[in-house]
Amino acid sequence: MDPLNEARALLREFPVVDGHNDLPWALRKQTRYDLDALDIAGHQHEHLHTDLPRLREGGVGAQYWSVYVSCEEPDPVAATLEQIDCVRQLLARYPADLAPALTAADMEAARRDGRIASLMGAEGGHSIANSLGTLRGLHALGVRYMTLTHNDNVDWADSATDEPKAGGLTAFGREVVREMNRLGMLVDLSHVAATTMRDALDATSAPVIFSHSSARAVCDHPRNIPDDVLERLPANGGVAMVTFVPKFVLQAAVDWTAAADENMRAHGLHHLDTSPEAMKIHRAFEERNARPVATVSTVADHLDHMREVAGIDHLGIGGDYDGTAFTPDGLDDVSGYPNLLAELLDRGWSRTDLAKLTWQNAVRVLGAAEDVARELQSTRAPSNATIASLDG
């Protein structure tokens, strides 16, 4: 059997759990949640990386839908609730394809039913507005991980792409981690500074995830994971989910992106904007400046390194589709996962290795967080700490 057909056969048994997809944000920005205008029941190639036919083609069996909102949102809690509502609308609209999931057992049940387990992750601690009660509210609504920061610092944690302020986690930040452990909400360390990664690993009693990050030793970008942090994942039990974003995986793209971002700002646009207007600006810049192109092999290089440092039991996939303007060749949209697996098969990865990468590791880590939460809930009451009481 050729590698691509072998990859597709494996995905029928052990489909991809993808750690991060920004479809809800794309729907918010492009149509203000008009699901008729962008009906993902059909192919939406010109507008989105994600739709149901391509999720099926890609062998996706579980998806963490990001309920991301911008750090600049004047009311991030309300905007996050709107994002959660968008995911719920999608689940209600496409019940034959998307299965609501809160637990590892739910993920396995969806796999048996042939549906795509749909979980939610909040991308950025700004979504809780310094409130542990709000954190608990998001968990009650189905959010199963929270990325501690996005691109900007929060009052209690440093971001990878902002000027250091807290030096990692503050006392309140450590309390956020402990409360997430008690709830069974995964601590996501993508986007955070390396100091925050290390502090969170010190504070947590449950496995962590990186929902969409790659290896800093392969591509020196602050959004990626240093080797000393990858080395700690076996003891923690966590999972690092490789991302496909070219500006995080290809060094030449890092430099090109810095120039492209400056061009966006010169046009009065946010550098992460993927609206049609922004994409027009991107394309004009690219016509003048050839864009370095990442490939499936580029991403596989990260996985080879991450496997060497952290081990096969601590790897996963988090493509960041619909949250990035560009994607690698061969990983153009959510239908491309078989191409990555075929590349890894060519590099000598076994079927057992790939089953861990695609499905087993991600399901295990959520189940482990649930086990920790059950134990903690029997001994620890909900925290009513405030940022003023711990950091003031």
Side-chain angles (χ1 to χ4, degrees), residues 43 52 132 141 144 159 164 185 192 198 218 226 280 293 315 323 326 344 352 363 381-382:
H43 283 81
L52 296 177
L132 296 179
L141 290 171
R144 286 301 176 266
S159 167
M185 184 185 287
V192 307
R198 297 176 188 119
V218 179
K280 183 178 179 180
V293 178
L315 303 183
F326 304 112
L344 295 172
T352 299
V363 175

Side-chain angles (χ1 to χ4, degrees), residues 191-346:
H191 278 287
V192 307
T195 51
T196 306
M197 297 176 193
R198 297 176 188 119
D199 282 356
L201 284 165
D202 290 341
T204 189
S205 54
V208 302
I209 65 166
F210 292 82
S211 66
H212 57 307
S213 294
S214 296
R216 194 173 299 188
V218 179
C219 180
D220 188 14
H221 191 285
R223 271 282 284 103
N224 288 333
I225 314 167
D227 276 1
D228 71 285
V229 175
L230 286 171
E231 288 168 356
R232 294 184 63 176
L233 287 182
N236 168 262
V239 170
M241 308 176 93
V242 69
T243 196
F244 302 164
V245 179
K247 65 182 179 181
F248 302 150
V249 298
L250 182 65
Q251 194 63 50
V254 174
D255 302 329
W256 183 91
T257 299
D261 289 351
E262 183 58 37
N263 181 64
M264 289 286 282
R265 286 189 285 270
H267 285 83
L269 296 169
H270 192 280
H271 68 280
L272 293 178
D273 194 340
T274 57
S275 66
E277 177 190 3
M279 292 307 295
K280 183 178 179 180
I281 299 297
H282 270 303
R283 283 190 290 270
F285 178 85
E286 188 174 357
E287 287 176 3
R288 301 189 304 272
N289 305 273
R291 176 173 58 90
V293 178
T295 66
V296 173
S297 180
T298 309
V299 176
D301 289 345
H302 282 264
L303 281 169
D304 277 342
H305 180 81
M306 293 161 76
R307 176 182 176 172
E308 181 179 345
V309 177
I312 187 60
D313 293 323
H314 304 284
L315 303 183
I317 295 172
D320 202 10
Y321 286 116
D322 286 306
T324 179
F326 304 112
T327 55
D329 278 0
L331 295 169
D332 306 87
D333 54 49
V334 295
S335 68
Y337 300 101
N339 296 328
L340 177 59
L341 268 61
E343 172 71 18
L344 295 172
L345 284 165
D346 275 341

